[in-house]
Amino acid sequence: MKLFRKTISWFGLAAMLFMLPSCSEYLDRQNQSTVSPTDAFKNFVNFQGFVEELYYCIPETSKFYWQSSFNWGEDEIIVAGATWFYGYKIDNGDFWGWQRENDGWGSGWMDGPGNTLDRGNRFNKRFWPLAWYGIRKANMGLENIDRLTDATQEEKNLIKGQMLFFRGWFHFQLMTYFGGLPYIDKVLPADQKLDLPRLTYQETALRAAEDFKAAAELLPINWDETDAGKRTLGKNQLRINKIMALGYLGKNYLYAASPLMNWSSTGSKTYDAELSKKSAEAFATLLQLSETGKTAHKLANFSEMSSVYYTLNQGMRIPGFPEAIMQSPAYDGGATRWGLNEQYVAGVLFNGGSTCFSPTANYVNHYGMANGLPIKNAEQADSESGYDPTDPWKGRDPRFYKDIIYDGVKMIQGISATREAHRYANLYTKGSYRDENNGSRTGYLNGKFIPRTTNYDDNGHNQSHFIHLSYMRLADVYLMYAEAALHGYGSPAGGFPGYISAQEAVNKIRRRAGVADVNAKFLGSKDAFMGELIRERAVELAFEGHRFNDLRRWLLLTERPYTLKTAHDFDRAPGGKVANLKERVILERRFNSKHYWLPLKVVDVSMYLAFPQNPGW
């Protein structure tokens, strides 16, 4: 790929990258000036300017287009007829749709036309070209690291650590969707024939682990506490650091250990215990740093969880603190107003304009009871858990009330001259919020990312409302640690030596939300506990873009009930009660083993025999 030969002021660019007030320019040279390779790498400021472009290679999947499809599991369903979204294509088994050649309108965040390095245009952040570009650029920097002579050892470590992390991270992102790949650790000459063979998933992951481990050794916990970072004090929260490197080291090992990846590498559909132990160790190291106050990361108070996902009337401040570990740069705060608000609201509240993505009823069923017990059947009363289908919103996991808009929730807060009949969510069968083409198809709406003033009466969407999701946050790390510890050490009571057990890690997240600990009946075996861990990840990380990859790596994507998308049909009874609740299948996804990996581009697998297509495609 073409190398952009620019001298970039690290300090001026930091303001653009992190959406913070601008700093002074530290270089006299014009931004568009071309310089020699020696000048580009000679000192920390110039080299960091070179590295900054790697941050712009991170897509912001949740605000990619006017509305963005990024939840591809059994978690949500799009209004009928919205065939252009990749989530719709996946539901129909058309996994080719991620590619611009098979997309038709360029809406997908994974691939498409456009200037992919346009710093301000979220539409042009395409995963496939940016990942390969990022790998090449990281290798360019690593091959020129010895030219960095006008720098302290700390500055050299910062530069090298970032590039090692990005090389590992882009490979990890690619192999998550496509399986084992060549691990490219040098700049490939454009005039020579390509012949690098595809590695197995685990072989690729072990190479990425080397880069993540090396990055963790070189990078600080907090850039603000380094001499170099003090130049941009308070503006370093998105910079790659030791915690991100440890987090992705653990996630990389956990994915490599998981049944899909182990099956594709060794033929065994089980967890790899040794890789699970390596994963648990990396996560335990990260979590102990957090728990001893050595990092700024900590679990947010439950009452303040909305600030992890969005900010409102805070001058477009990036949400996520204190739980976000890794986020993309924020390319366009206004995208929340024009896109995601409409995506989660019934059309009747937006003058009919809505391309609604509604939570599936089967996914809402994962939100069990506050006593920690699951709902066995949404249509039947359960004396053990206390669930009652005539009062199905009562006594639920407290996260249910934060994440899910159900029948009767107050949606218009102020005076309404024209929509008084729609003030409360009419999500019962044939209610005004239920609409196959312009509202909820399931009896529920997603309330996780929007305030209850998002409508044309309260006009909350025209305020400073900014959604920004994390690639990784601390609660996710606790749950990944629990999974790694369970399968590495053989039981819910197992854990990395000197650190908490798998069951305690899950209970830590539940207690934060006010949910009872995992019930004793699920602690007797790995399988029983894993069922609760699968449900816990569904609830805690709902609609944050994790579910599709979780189902794939667990080899559950093709298995019932995870292939189903359902609705709850019911009548509204007096006193806010429910009558005649029935669960109806809207869609069953017809998947087979080939759907565990996305198809590679035909043009790429046609280059040479050692780079074959994924099975079944």
Side-chain angles (χ1 to χ4, degrees):
M1 293 183 179
K2 180 180 179 181
L3 171 62
F4 287 78
R5 300 190 181 280
K6 295 181 181 178
T7 297
I8 303 175
S9 169
W10 174 38
F11 309 96
L13 186 54
M16 191 183 305
L17 177 57
F18 304 116
M19 293 188 68
L20 293 165
S22 61
C23 304
S24 300
E25 287 286 349
Y26 277 70
L27 296 179
D28 294 329
R29 190 182 300 275
Q30 293 295 316
N31 193 45
Q32 299 300 320
S33 298
T34 58
V35 296
S36 71
T38 302
D39 287 339
F41 305 117
K42 71 178 182 180
N43 60 38
F44 176 72
V45 172
N46 284 22
F47 214 137
Q48 183 62 31
F50 175 88
V51 173
E52 292 291 345
E53 199 173 60
L54 289 168
Y55 288 87
Y56 285 108
C57 294
I58 306 174
E60 189 179 3
T61 58
S62 62
K63 293 199 295 291
F64 176 79
Y65 210 68
W66 299 113
Q67 294 87 37
S68 299
S69 173
F70 56 95
N71 289 308
W72 303 334
E74 90 285 31
D75 38 6
E76 67 181 18
I77 191 165
I78 309 171
V79 291
T83 59
W84 50 91
F85 289 106
Y86 188 46
Y88 190 101
K89 297 175 189 293
I90 284 185
D91 281 349
N92 289 279
D94 177 18
F95 283 23
W96 287 104
W98 76 265
Q99 303 175 18
R100 60 179 295 188
E101 294 87 347
N102 297 280
D103 180 12
W105 75 308
S107 66
W109 61 267
M110 294 194 74
D111 189 32
N115 175 12
T116 58
L117 289 170
D118 183 347
R119 295 176 191 136
N121 189 341
R122 72 184 191 276
F123 291 179
N124 289 337
K125 301 298 175 183
R126 314 284 183 161
F127 163 68
W128 178 261
L130 287 174
W132 293 113
Y133 179 89
I135 290 169
R136 181 173 177 83
K137 188 174 182 72
N139 282 325
M140 286 180 177
L142 289 166
E143 290 183 5
N144 283 281
I145 196 69
D146 291 339
R147 298 189 182 196
L148 180 56
T149 55
D150 183 11
T152 65
Q153 188 60 50
E154 175 193 81
E155 291 171 336
K156 292 177 181 178
N157 289 348
L158 290 171
I159 294 293
K160 186 174 182 181
Q162 290 174 92
M163 292 186 297
L164 286 167
F165 174 88
F166 274 117
R167 185 169 69 184
W169 191 81
F170 288 124
H171 277 100
F172 171 77
Q173 294 298 115
L174 286 166
M175 63 184 173
T176 293
Y177 293 100
F178 301 102
L181 296 166
Y183 201 85
I184 301 175
D185 59 1
K186 61 183 178 180
V187 178
L188 300 178
D191 60 348
Q192 294 183 19
K193 183 179 178 181
L194 293 174
D195 59 359
L196 295 174
R198 292 188 69 176
L199 306 176
T200 68
Y201 189 98
Q202 290 180 348
E203 288 171 339
T204 315
L206 291 175
R207 294 292 306 277
E210 293 174 7
D211 281 347
F212 287 133
K213 283 190 288 188
E217 291 293 323
L218 293 168
L219 291 168
I221 293 174
N222 187 345
W223 276 64
D224 283 357
E225 296 176 358
T226 66
D227 290 336
K230 285 182 172 66
R231 300 169 186 167
T232 49
L233 192 66
K235 301 175 175 66
N236 295 312
Q237 66 267 35
L238 300 187
R239 296 196 186 282
I240 304 303
N241 57 38
K242 181 187 292 290
I243 303 305
M244 296 179 195
L246 287 170
Y248 273 95
L249 175 62
K251 186 171 184 177
N252 175 59
Y253 277 137
L254 178 61
Y255 271 50
S258 295
L260 171 63
M261 291 70 174
N262 196 27
W263 177 39
S264 70
S265 301
T266 70
S268 174
K269 295 182 179 181
T270 61
Y271 277 84
D272 184 294
E274 291 307 310
L275 288 174
S276 296
K277 288 179 181 179
K278 289 178 181 290
S279 173
E281 179 180 7
F283 288 138
T285 303
L286 185 163
L287 293 170
Q288 287 173 311
L289 289 170
S290 170
E291 291 169 358
T292 55
K294 293 182 173 64
T295 80
H297 309 98
K298 63 180 181 178
L299 291 177
N301 294 328
F302 188 65
S303 62
E304 300 171 343
M305 279 303 293
S306 62
S307 66
V308 174
Y309 315 118
Y310 70 84
T311 55
L312 183 66
N313 293 327
Q314 297 182 44
M316 304 302 283
R317 181 177 67 84
I318 297 176
F321 183 81
E323 199 157 313
I325 291 176
M326 183 175 175
Q327 297 176 298
S328 71
Y331 302 111
D332 183 358
T336 294
R337 173 185 175 188
W338 298 115
L340 286 182
N341 281 313
E342 180 182 314
Q343 186 164 323
Y344 298 122
V345 177
V348 70
L349 295 178
F350 259 26
N351 289 345
S354 177
T355 306
C356 191
F357 293 56
S358 46
T360 58
N362 49 279
Y363 199 80
V364 173
N365 291 342
H366 291 307
Y367 289 80
M369 307 302 286
N371 59 20
L373 290 170
I375 294 171
K376 298 174 183 176
N377 186 326
E379 297 179 359
Q380 297 177 6
D382 178 20
S383 59
E384 181 183 22
S385 70
Y387 173 76
D388 179 0
T390 69
D391 202 358
W393 330 133
K394 182 180 178 181
R396 298 288 285 271
D397 183 321
R399 290 169 290 189
F400 170 83
Y401 304 104
K402 284 188 176 290
D403 295 356
I404 305 299
I405 295 171
Y406 54 93
D407 187 57
V409 170
K410 188 177 182 179
M411 296 302 293
I412 299 175
Q413 311 303 316
I415 297 173
S416 174
T418 59
R419 272 181 285 269
E420 187 60 37
H422 313 299
R423 180 177 294 276
Y424 297 92
N426 298 317
L427 286 163
Y428 57 90
T429 303
K430 297 185 180 180
S432 64
Y433 283 47
R434 292 286 288 265
D435 191 325
E436 287 288 305
N437 301 299
N438 200 20
S440 172
R441 301 178 68 184
T442 66
Y444 301 98
L445 290 171
N446 187 336
K448 190 168 189 174
F449 307 126
I450 60 170
R452 300 299 185 263
T453 55
T454 306
N455 57 74
Y456 272 17
D457 292 275
D458 297 318
N459 209 34
H461 58 289
N462 282 325
Q463 300 172 18
S464 177
H465 176 211
F466 186 21
I467 297 173
H468 195 62
L469 298 187
S470 302
Y471 271 86
M472 181 181 289
R473 62 181 177 93
L474 197 59
D476 183 17
V477 174
Y478 275 105
L479 296 179
M480 288 191 291
Y481 168 78
E483 185 180 345
L486 174 70
H487 294 286
Y489 296 95
S491 77
F496 181 71
Y499 191 55
I500 62 176
S501 67
Q503 67 194 59
E504 183 61 23
V506 174
N507 289 337
K508 196 175 187 76
I509 302 305
R510 288 193 171 193
R511 290 170 192 160
R512 187 260 295 269
V515 183
D517 290 355
V518 178
N519 191 276
K521 71 178 184 176
F522 298 112
L523 301 179
S525 70
K526 281 199 305 183
D527 288 345
F529 184 77
M530 188 63 192
E532 279 295 273
L533 181 53
I534 288 170
R535 190 171 70 84
E536 185 63 26
R537 283 188 65 82
V539 173
E540 177 62 30
L541 303 172
F543 317 118
E544 296 179 43
H546 297 286
R547 190 64 173 178
F548 179 64
N549 288 335
D550 278 348
L551 292 179
R552 290 175 52 241
R553 65 188 182 84
W554 293 329
L555 287 175
L556 294 177
L557 187 71
T558 60
E559 306 302 312
R560 276 191 166 216
Y562 303 102
T563 56
L564 302 178
K565 294 194 173 187
T566 70
H568 280 165
D569 296 329
F570 58 92
D571 299 319
R572 181 184 284 175
K577 294 297 184 73
V578 165
N580 307 315
L581 189 149
K582 298 294 181 183
E583 189 158 355
R584 168 175 53 87
V585 175
I586 302 173
L587 172 75
E588 180 168 8
R589 307 205 288 186
R590 306 289 182 178
F591 293 161
N592 57 49
S593 60
K594 78 175 184 179
H595 291 103
Y596 279 108
W597 301 110
L598 270 59
L600 290 157
K601 293 196 172 194
V602 172
V603 66
D604 292 330
V605 298
S606 301
M607 289 189 297
Y608 57 97
L609 291 176
F611 191 78
Q613 181 60 275
N614 281 326
W617 297 106

